[in-house]
Amino acid sequence: MSERVSETPKPQPVLSVSPSWPNPGASVTLSCEGLKHQSAGWRFFWYKDVPDPSSNSYSIELLPGSTNGTEQNSFIINGPTHTAGFVCRAGREEPKFYTDYSKPKFVWSADPRPAASLSVNPDRVQHFRYDSVSLSCEGNSTEWRVMMFIEREGLSDFTCSSWGNMTGSTCTINISWNNSGVFWCESKSREFSNAVNITVQAHYHDGVILVSPVHPVTEGDPVTLSCRYKKQNLLSNVFFYHNNKLINNDSREELKISAVSKSDEGFYKCQHSGKESPRSWIVSTLSH
């Protein structure tokens, strides 16, 4: 009786990007990891994930300098200025073999002059389930589409039409539990807007959210953070945390930072009556 041989699935590398939210002009390092025996003749190929004008999907293009692969499992991109997705895979010549493509990872540009501007209404990072949120694109192109990226899902058909209603250049969605992700606008000519994070508070009835600006704060500008329930706009007796460290020893209504600096960057959350909000990243940018 002959032994049945099953086909071994191809390994899939894991791509990481650092930093994923770079300052304008900063370099980004891509790393293709998770493969065993990396010294055994692997060469690494690097791709850009770009919008496909003929559909709502994405296609990949080899990055310059990657045609023949690289010996190192890291690749530096100097001074990216636009939001972009990236993919990697590895291959060997003898015997000829290629891994699967990694899942895409995005670099979210902090370009102060993006091709389009994405505004969010209500203008905050965190939202409650079933909130109605509008995302509007403003730019030179007449055909913007709003896109959403969820880390665990990848990039399959995440245009507004899949999970909301697009009217002109505005996408309106009713927030559900799985709408936490990064949103941006893009055109068929591959122009991108700034990108924004949206985080959903899963506890609909008694959860709290941190009210924080959806866009980066300019260094030197003031910023005010507050805490709220679904049906109560401003809570008192609130504690605020910066990178999990309590930053006010008295309970208050708001956390006011008079002039934001680099030391203020990090994760913030609020706490009220023992209930904690999700955390949100506050980032500052240089004024121009």
Side-chain angles (χ1 to χ4, degrees), residues 78-97:
N78 291 311
T81 56
H82 300 290
T83 291
F86 297 95
V87 170
C88 74
R89 74 167 174 168
R92 282 198 296 251
E93 281 299 323
E94 296 294 338
K96 200 170 187 69
F97 177 81

Side-chain angles (χ1 to χ4, degrees), residues 167-178:
T167 304
S169 59
T170 297
C171 175
T172 302
I173 60 175
N174 288 317
I175 291 288
S176 66
W177 67 270
N178 63 344

Side-chain angles (χ1 to χ4, degrees), residues 46 61 80 85 106 178 182 191 207 214 218 228 243 257 270 284:
W46 311 90
E61 294 178 355
F106 266 73
N178 63 344
V182 182
E191 294 176 305
V214 74
T218 302
R228 60 166 291 190
N243 294 331
I257 303 173
C270 64
S284 63

Side-chain angles (χ1 to χ4, degrees), residues 92-170:
R92 282 198 296 251
E93 281 299 323
E94 296 294 338
K96 200 170 187 69
F97 177 81
Y98 289 96
T99 68
D100 274 344
Y101 295 99
S102 70
K103 290 183 178 179
K105 284 293 179 73
F106 266 73
V107 172
W108 313 105
S109 171
D111 186 348
R113 292 176 294 276
S117 174
L118 172 61
S119 59
V120 180
N121 186 22
D123 185 9
R124 61 176 189 255
V125 174
Q126 297 183 14
H127 300 268
F128 293 100
R129 289 174 63 193
Y130 312 120
D131 278 355
S132 179
V133 178
S134 294
L135 303 104
S136 300
C137 309
E138 292 184 12
N140 293 329
S141 175
T142 57
E143 290 190 32
W144 293 105
R145 60 180 183 175
V146 177
M147 299 289 292
M148 177 176 75
F149 178 81
I150 299 177
E151 191 81 19
R152 67 178 184 274
E153 298 287 354
L155 258 177
S156 57
D157 197 23
F158 282 117
T159 57
C160 175
S161 57
S162 303
W163 33 262
N165 295 306
M166 195 81 184
T167 304
S169 59
T170 297

Side-chain angles (χ1 to χ4, degrees), residues 196-262:
V196 300
N197 261 315
I198 283 183
T199 301
V200 180
Q201 169 55 275
H203 301 288
Y204 174 71
H205 293 291
D206 61 353
V208 295
I209 62 169
L210 176 74
V211 180
S212 62
V214 74
H215 294 297
V217 182
T218 302
E219 278 193 49
D221 283 358
V223 66
T224 299
L225 308 180
S226 60
C227 204
R228 60 166 291 190
Y229 282 105
K230 175 77 173 176
K231 296 181 179 179
Q232 192 170 346
N233 282 336
L234 189 65
L235 298 173
S236 56
N237 302 319
V238 175
F239 294 95
F240 294 92
Y241 293 80
H242 178 212
N243 294 331
N244 289 323
K245 183 179 179 181
L246 182 66
I247 52 176
N248 58 309
N249 55 14
D250 60 325
S251 57
R252 58 182 71 179
E253 284 188 343
E254 297 174 322
L255 175 66
K256 294 184 177 182
I257 303 173
S258 58
V260 170
S261 67
K262 280 293 178 184

Side-chain angles (χ1 to χ4, degrees), residues 40-69:
W42 287 117
R43 294 190 70 84
F44 296 88
F45 298 85
W46 311 90
Y47 305 84
K48 191 173 185 178
D49 222 341
V50 296
D52 184 347
S54 63
S55 69
N56 286 336
S57 63
Y58 272 57
S59 58
I60 57 173
E61 294 178 355
L62 264 172
L63 289 172
S66 176
T67 305
N68 297 318

